[in-house]
Amino acid sequence: MSAVSDRLPTFPWDKLEPYKKTAAAHPGGIVDLSVGTPVDPVPARIQQALIDAADSPGYPTVWGTPALRDAITGWLERRLGARDVTHRHVLPVVGSKELVAWLPTQLGLGPGDRVAYPRLAYPTYEVGARLARADYEVYDDPRDLDPEGLKLLWLNSPSNPTGAVLSPEDLKGIVSWAREHGVLLVSDECYLELGWEADPVSVLHPDVNGGSYDGIVAVHSLSKRSNLAGYRAAFLAGDPAVLMPLLEIRKHGGMMISAPTQAAMAAALSDDEHVRLQRARYESRRTRLREALLAHGFRIDHSEASLYLWSTRGESCWDTVAHLAELGILVAPGDFYGEAGAQHVRVALTATDERIDEAILRLKA
């Protein structure tokens, strides 16, 4: 076991514990804006779908029910503008983090293979490469990478942590580059429905991919748009030549979503109104918190989408974390996401209105 765990970096969130204790000691209690876990209720329609499917004594299918696959393909065409999507173009997965961590291994990557991801990025991209014993590297523009030995290219738009959004023109150019060099492109689009100052576009859109899904896969999650982080509900969409072998691997590994969760996913993907309401909540919190951070002396970079404000005071991120912890506010240090984040903090919008208002009061004091 140690041979596997020794491949991994120190779990970053453990480093935040002393600051969490400081913030929790504030007389008004902690305002936790660090992890980004949803706090609003699961919509009633989705809860009811879960309840209605609770009597599920048999094994669920790894590929998901036909109803779930129909819901996914319908959503892809309705919301993302994808065309000619069949069941072979989709694959449900047990939460997007599990997929990111194990995809290199399931693709058969190993020593000598290269995985690339953005310079500022979700740490699990690196974890996935480490678990597979593959080499890994970061980029500013993936088209500047040496394609030799590059087997997996991660995109992330909207970005976690920065909230930056790749333009349709950049996406089109990157897709073309990856295809030219035979590199599998996997686009993490889990925040795509949360654009504020930009309208994020999927690699599944025909204007980006030219009407072909060859060599491209998109990752989507219901954690943020539907408050289903506790359900572990996500899916892949794209090239059947990639997804169908993954389906076989996941069948052998028993990597299946529970039947009640599959029913809840189908309900969530068939309803756009609850997403509109949740977006409105986040937009209100974002506007108010952004104003308070700016008035407190922060500069906010990018952040045109997603659930975070990428913020800096021009100092070490840990000094900023300590400063805010004294106010009872816990945020994530930017270096969790790469060395380039050493002077930023990631401030999540995922707190109740009451806690957001409390943070604003403390920032104004």
Side-chain angles (χ1 to χ4, degrees):
M1 288 300 296
S2 63
V4 177
S5 62
D6 287 349
R7 298 179 206 163
L8 304 179
T10 302
F11 189 63
W13 294 97
D14 291 344
K15 302 176 185 177
L16 205 55
E17 280 302 316
Y19 303 92
K20 186 174 184 178
K21 290 179 180 178
T22 298
H26 190 279
I30 188 172
V31 178
D32 193 342
L33 307 179
S34 61
V35 176
T37 187
V39 298
D40 298 305
V42 174
R45 175 179 175 177
I46 301 173
Q47 291 191 47
Q48 190 60 51
L50 185 85
I51 293 166
D52 291 345
D55 185 14
S56 297
Y59 290 113
T61 62
V62 174
W63 201 9
T65 62
L68 173 55
R69 283 179 263 144
D70 283 344
I72 294 173
T73 57
W75 181 82
L76 291 168
E77 295 192 351
R78 183 178 73 251
R79 177 62 186 89
L80 303 190
R83 295 290 178 264
D84 302 319
V85 184
T86 72
H87 285 193
R88 289 176 55 81
H89 291 94
V90 302
L91 177 61
V93 295
V94 190
S96 57
K97 183 170 184 175
E98 171 263 307
L99 182 280
V100 172
W102 292 106
L103 182 61
T105 297
Q106 292 176 10
L107 291 172
L109 304 191
D113 296 325
R114 294 167 50 229
V115 176
Y117 49 86
R119 187 170 301 280
L120 282 166
Y122 185 44
T124 312
Y125 302 134
E126 177 186 333
V127 167
R130 285 175 176 254
L131 285 169
R133 298 184 180 177
D135 297 327
Y136 51 90
E137 60 192 277
V138 299
Y139 64 77
D140 295 307
D141 186 327
R143 292 165 287 191
D144 295 332
L145 292 165
D146 178 359
E148 183 66 29
L150 182 61
K151 298 296 179 65
L152 173 58
L153 172 63
W154 284 105
L155 297 186
N156 182 208
S157 176
S159 163
N160 174 16
T162 70
V165 175
L166 290 170
S167 70
E169 293 75 19
D170 277 334
L171 287 172
K172 183 177 180 180
I174 295 167
V175 167
S176 177
W177 180 91
R179 285 174 170 166
E180 177 185 351
H181 296 290
V183 178
L184 175 62
L185 186 155
V186 181
S187 181
D188 181 346
E189 302 176 350
C190 290
Y191 295 90
L192 188 135
E193 294 201 275
L194 297 165
W196 314 116
E197 298 163 8
D199 187 13
V201 175
S202 172
V203 295
L204 302 177
H205 195 285
D207 288 350
V208 172
N209 62 41
S212 167
Y213 301 113
D214 291 351
I216 58 173
V217 174
V219 182
H220 285 273
S221 168
L222 280 69
S223 292
K224 305 302 193 295
R225 46 113 49 207
S226 299
N227 300 331
L228 296 190
Y231 284 45
R232 310 315 301 135
F235 61 90
L236 304 180
D239 191 346
V242 177
L243 299 191
M244 292 301 96
L246 285 176
L247 172 60
E248 292 305 311
I249 292 166
R250 296 173 71 85
K251 284 180 180 178
H252 284 290
M255 305 178 83
M256 60 190 78
I257 301 171
S258 75
T261 299
Q262 291 188 33
M265 289 176 68
L269 289 166
S270 301
D271 173 55
D272 296 329
E273 179 61 16
H274 79 275
V275 181
R276 186 190 67 79
L277 294 173
Q278 189 60 46
R279 273 182 53 88
R281 293 187 190 104
Y282 283 135
E283 186 170 20
S284 173
R285 292 165 188 168
R286 178 184 184 272
T287 298
R288 291 179 286 129
L289 188 57
R290 185 177 186 275
E291 291 174 354
L293 287 167
L294 291 172
H296 195 76
F298 281 90
R299 186 184 79 235
I300 298 173
D301 295 329
H302 308 298
S303 305
E304 57 258 36
S306 83
L307 289 180
Y308 312 104
L309 293 168
W310 188 238
S311 310
T312 181
R313 300 203 310 170
E315 63 186 7
S316 163
C317 60
W318 288 100
D319 289 343
T320 306
V321 168
H323 167 73
L324 291 175
E326 292 294 335
L327 300 178
I329 302 169
L330 189 68
V331 298
D335 65 5
F336 277 10
Y337 308 94
E339 294 179 2
Q343 290 195 336
H344 283 76
V345 294
R346 194 192 74 168
V347 184
L349 308 177
T350 49
T352 64
D353 288 330
E354 183 273 330
R355 288 285 86 188
I356 292 288
D357 288 340
E358 180 65 24
I360 291 168
L361 287 174
R362 296 177 192 182
L363 290 166
K364 289 180 177 179

